[in-house]
């Protein structure tokens, strides 16, 4: 095969074939385009404001390393005026987190960002090693996932920071969309597609600037920029990615790479039909991105294996399904909206009715309160972390005899 | 075996990253002498290299983390001399002396 030239500069040899549009690009043009697209996501969704202090949830893995590198670059190039900090969670898993924390420490030097490490032991009084010792390996991902979700927020609070960005990519979002569709979990489907969760009312908001970035391109970006990242599998669920929704996503990508972004967009469109939720999208046409409320999302989802976790999931799914049944007006709402829109469509065939912002109507929404024990935002009286801790603390004496 | 040893070898560099090095003796870079012809007498391609690595180089018994249904596992990227193998003919690419083949997993977390 004769080497092809870059579709943009037409001088350098193409090294990358983009999954979203099959464009063949050289290294320099690819890096530029990748960064430009993240910049577009950030500006069109108005993710940041000048002077904002932002914590990057950093694991030392590819996604958060690329996120840190790109934010550092864009902050300087476009003058965002952000005060960036790396925030790492130490789950307390010997032989796993130690190595990746070393990577984060190097990243802190490379990107000249301060680093804060928060441990499960100081937050909850338990390391994951101790949790596994107590409850065994089965279902421990649930604990880890629930603890991590709060840990980032609590770590941010300790630093006086109100905004945490995470490295979730398009593949992660597509996977979560599929999982929530299979579960029939509409409110979580809606929240998981939002680029921002939490708003001024909540203490810490979350966002995912790499939401539209392919995992493949994130890895290639890291490779071509020679970024220092660490890849590993958690020793307590080493093969979590096998036989999961993740495999399905990757197989779809192999057949038709655009499938991933298509699923993300479909998820957003479906989320817009969920009553009572306020999903966001690329928000190009919008003034301000509405943020979905932060509830304790994705139980059992762990940072590196989002939605790929066994244990405790079925029970949670069951409960959620029952809650959804209470939203009885749902089915008719959607049908009504669609049929109304169909009429409109006949008059104005060019418009996509589903993308209109008023599709969402009133309906059931989880009421947000605070955990009576720790004060963390929760839809129940006692938050998931405190419930899990209660069980753990009861078991500790028995086990340690 | 004798005929195999008579086959000229192509020296190449094979790299593993993104977590795949764990399947290959925890080593990122391997110098490989690949037979220039397959047992069927065809020129060595990437498909042949993948098969060869599974038979000769992989140190972990879980070969399905590298190959699935006879093809490279979806989610593993292949770069041929830094270029995405999709630009080079994927499995059909004929290996040349001194080629650098990189396998990067996107499947592993941080």
């Amino acid at each position: 095969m004769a080497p092809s030239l870059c579709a943009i500069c037409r001088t350098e040899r193409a090294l990358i074939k983009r999954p979203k549009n099959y464009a063949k690009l050289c290294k320099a043009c690819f890096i530029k385009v990748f960064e430009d697209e993240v910049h577009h996501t950030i500006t069109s969704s108005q993710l940041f404001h000048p002077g904002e202090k932002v914590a990057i949830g950093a694991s030392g893995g590819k996604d958060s390393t690329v996120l840190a590198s790109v934010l550092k670059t864009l902050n300087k190039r476009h003058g965002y005026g952000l005060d960036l900090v790396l925030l790492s969670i130490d789950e307390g898993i010997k032989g796993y987190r130690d190595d990746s924390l070393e990577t984060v420490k190097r990243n802190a030097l490379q990107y000249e960002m301060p680093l804060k490490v928060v441990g499960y032991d100081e937050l909850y009084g338990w390391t994951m090693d101790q949790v596994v010792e107590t409850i065994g390996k089965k279902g421990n991902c649930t604990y880890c996932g629930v603890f991590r979700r709060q840990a980032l927020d609590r770590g941010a609070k300790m630093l006086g920071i109100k905004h945490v960005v995470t490295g979730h990519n398009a593949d992660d979002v597509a996977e979560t969309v599929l999982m929530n569709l299979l579960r029939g979990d509409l409110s979580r489907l809606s929240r998981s597609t939002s680029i921002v969760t939490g708003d001024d009312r909540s203490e810490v908001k979350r966002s995912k600037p790499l939401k539209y970035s392919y995992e493949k391109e994130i890895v290639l970006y890291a490779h071509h920029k020679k970024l220092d990242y660490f890849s590993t599998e958690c020793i307590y669920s080493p093969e979590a990615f096998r036989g999961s929704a993740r495999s399905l996503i990757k197989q779809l990508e192999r057949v038709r790479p655009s499938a991933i972004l298509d699923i993300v967009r479909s998820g957003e469109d479906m989320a817009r039909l969920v009553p009572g939720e306020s999903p966001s999208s690329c928000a190009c046409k919008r003034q301000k991105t509405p943020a979905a409320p932060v509830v304790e999302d994705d139980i059992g989802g762990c940072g590196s294996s989002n939605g790929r976790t066994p244990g405790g999931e079925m029970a949670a799914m069951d409960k959620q399904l029952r809650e959804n049944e209470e939203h009885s007006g749902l089915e008719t709402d959607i049908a009504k909206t669609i049929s109304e829109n169909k009429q409109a469509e006949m008059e104005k065939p060019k418009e996509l009715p589903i993308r209109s912002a008023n599709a969402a109507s009133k309906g059931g929404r989880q009421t947000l309160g605070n955990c009576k024990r720790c004060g963390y935002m929760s839809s129940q009286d006692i938050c998931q972390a405190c419930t899990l801790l209660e069980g753990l603390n009861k078991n500790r004496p028995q086990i340690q005899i | 075996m004798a005929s195999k040893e008579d086959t000229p070898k192509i020296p190449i560099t094979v790299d593993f990253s993104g977590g795949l090095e764990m399947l290959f003796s925890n080593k990122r870079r391997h110098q490989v002498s690949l037979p220039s012809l397959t047992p069927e007498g065809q020129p060595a391609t990437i498909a042949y290299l993948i098969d060869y690595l599974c038979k000769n180089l992989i140190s972990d018994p879980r070969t399905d983390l590298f190959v699935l249904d006879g093809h490279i596992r979806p989610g593993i990227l292949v770069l041929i001399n830094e270029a995405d193998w999709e630009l080079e003919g994927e499995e059909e690419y004929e290996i040349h002396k001194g080629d650098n083949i990189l396998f990067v997993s996107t499947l592993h977390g941080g």
Side-chain angles (χ1 to χ4, degrees):
Chain A
M1 271 197 175
S4 24
L5 290 180
C6 171
I8 294 177
C9 67
R10 309 220 174 257
T11 49
E12 295 297 316
R13 178 178 163 229
L15 292 181
I16 288 101
K17 190 176 167 192
R18 301 200 69 196
K20 66 186 279 186
N21 57 14
Y22 311 109
K24 298 172 180 176
L25 301 183
C26 72
K27 183 169 140 182
C29 290
F30 164 70
I31 288 173
K32 180 76 170 43
V33 163
F34 183 90
E35 290 165 352
D36 285 351
E37 288 183 358
V38 178
H39 174 61
H40 172 78
T41 304
I42 289 170
T43 50
S44 63
S45 307
Q46 303 186 349
L47 281 193
F48 305 124
H49 58 78
E52 191 172 8
K53 241 186 148 184
V54 176
I56 302 169
S59 66
K62 57 184 164 41
D63 301 302
S64 55
T65 303
V66 165
L67 180 61
S69 169
V70 169
L71 284 184
K72 164 98 185 167
T73 304
L74 294 179
N75 193 27
K76 199 170 165 198
R77 182 182 298 156
H78 298 286
Y80 291 167
L82 297 180
D83 187 359
L84 296 166
V85 176
L86 295 173
L87 176 58
S88 284
I89 306 301
D90 185 356
E91 298 90 346
I93 304 176
K94 282 220 165 52
Y96 164 63
R97 194 48 87 198
D98 319 345
D99 294 340
S100 47
L101 280 178
E102 288 307 311
T103 311
V104 182
K105 284 177 194 162
R106 288 198 302 276
N107 289 159
L109 294 175
Q110 289 153 1
Y111 305 136
E112 298 166 305
M113 291 177 194
L115 166 67
K116 169 81 183 167
V117 181
V118 194
Y120 278 10
D121 49 354
E122 57 176 307
L123 285 175
Y124 305 107
W126 287 80
T127 65
M128 275 313 291
D129 284 337
Q130 291 167 336
V131 171
V132 170
E133 216 173 279
T134 309
I135 64 151
K137 285 193 186 183
K138 216 178 154 197
N140 76 83
C141 298
T142 306
Y143 289 78
C144 198
V146 168
F147 288 169
R148 177 180 298 107
R149 207 134 282 131
Q150 289 199 7
L152 276 176
D153 288 11
R154 290 178 182 206
K157 251 163 94 178
M158 281 159 83
L159 294 171
I161 296 178
K162 292 184 166 178
H163 191 167
V164 177
V165 290
T166 55
H168 289 96
N169 58 44
D171 296 51
D172 294 327
V173 177
E175 182 185 342
T176 317
V177 166
L178 281 186
M179 293 289 288
N180 287 326
L181 260 186
L182 294 172
R183 290 190 185 112
D185 188 337
L186 293 171
S187 41
R188 208 173 282 166
L189 171 72
S190 172
R191 284 197 298 273
S192 66
T193 56
S194 300
I195 191 162
V196 183
T197 50
D199 54 20
D200 299 337
R201 283 167 297 166
S202 49
E203 287 178 279
V204 179
K205 76 170 179 181
R206 298 280 193 91
S207 64
K208 8 184 204 284
L210 301 182
K211 183 190 166 190
Y212 297 110
S213 304
Y214 275 76
E215 190 160 58
K216 173 177 173 177
E217 294 200 340
I218 288 173
V219 170
L220 289 176
Y221 184 90
H223 172 74
H224 288 299
K225 281 206 84 171
K226 298 187 169 54
L227 300 185
D228 181 8
Y229 72 94
F230 187 79
S231 351
T232 185
E233 283 306 310
C234 172
I235 54 174
Y236 292 135
S237 77
E239 288 155 29
F241 64 84
R242 285 214 270 182
S244 61
R246 190 57 151 217
S247 300
L248 178 61
I249 294 282
K250 292 297 183 188
Q251 282 165 13
L252 285 172
E253 181 183 26
R254 190 86 186 89
V255 179
R256 196 169 64 98
S258 59
I260 292 179
L261 273 187
D262 292 343
I263 292 172
V264 174
R265 299 285 184 189
S266 303
E268 291 172 353
D269 283 345
M270 285 183 280
R272 219 156 285 140
L273 295 170
V274 177
E277 300 288 344
S278 48
S280 73
S281 67
C282 174
C284 295
K285 297 163 213 129
R286 256 171 234 208
Q287 288 302 303
K288 191 165 189 336
T289 306
V294 178
V295 195
E296 296 158 314
D297 284 349
D298 303 315
I299 326 155
C302 106
S304 60
S305 59
N306 202 12
R308 283 173 255 176
T309 347
E313 207 167 58
M314 290 307 292
M317 196 188 291
D318 214 45
K319 179 169 156 281
Q320 191 64 47
L321 282 174
R322 257 179 284 122
E323 277 175 24
N324 284 343
E325 272 167 30
E326 288 162 21
H327 304 177
S328 50
L330 188 61
E331 233 170 281
T332 41
D333 270 354
I334 291 174
K336 205 169 137 227
T337 313
I338 288 174
S339 70
E340 278 169 3
N341 280 332
K342 263 189 189 154
Q343 287 184 335
E345 200 181 358
M346 277 153 62
E347 286 150 33
K348 281 189 278 172
K350 284 282 157 62
E351 254 175 59
L352 273 177
I354 291 177
R355 287 198 181 272
S356 68
N358 56 2
S361 54
K362 69 265 138 209
R365 173 195 282 241
Q366 283 161 306
T367 40
L368 278 184
N370 296 86
C371 170
K372 286 184 176 153
R373 245 169 242 173
C374 68
Y376 185 78
M377 186 168 305
S378 169
S379 51
Q380 267 97 39
D381 278 355
I382 308 289
C383 75
Q384 285 171 344
C386 287
T387 312
L388 292 176
L389 279 174
E390 192 178 356
L392 279 175
N393 290 333
K394 271 184 197 155
N395 278 321
R396 171 132 54 185
Q398 288 168 285
I399 301 294
Q400 284 188 341
I401 285 170
Chain B
M1 285 314 278
S3 67
K4 222 178 188 180
E5 278 158 27
D6 293 343
T7 312
K9 301 277 199 287
I10 318 173
I12 54 169
T13 310
V14 181
D15 288 331
F16 300 96
S17 77
L20 278 178
E21 54 273 49
M22 286 182 262
L23 301 179
F24 293 88
S25 321
N26 269 316
K27 216 172 99 186
R28 188 193 150 93
R29 171 156 289 191
H30 295 255
Q31 304 298 336
V32 172
S33 293
L34 185 73
S36 60
L37 294 174
T38 68
E40 293 79 35
Q42 300 296 315
T45 59
I46 291 283
Y48 177 59
L49 171 69
I50 291 169
D51 183 55
Y52 180 88
L53 294 175
C54 273
K55 286 177 177 146
N56 299 284
L57 197 68
I58 200 162
S59 59
D60 193 298
R62 298 169 298 169
T63 52
D64 66 318
L65 295 181
F66 184 58
V67 169
L68 207 61
D69 303 327
H71 299 280
I72 199 84
R73 190 182 174 96
I76 295 176
L77 309 180
V78 187
L79 301 192
I80 300 171
N81 300 321
E82 287 290 283
D84 189 333
W85 75 332
E86 289 178 37
L87 299 168
E88 304 285 339
E90 303 193 12
E91 290 186 344
E92 313 290 311
Y93 173 84
E94 282 180 24
I95 300 207
H96 300 88
K97 185 180 167 195
D99 274 350
N100 174 248
I101 317 290
L102 166 65
F103 296 91
V104 199
S105 175
T106 66
L107 299 166
H108 293 261

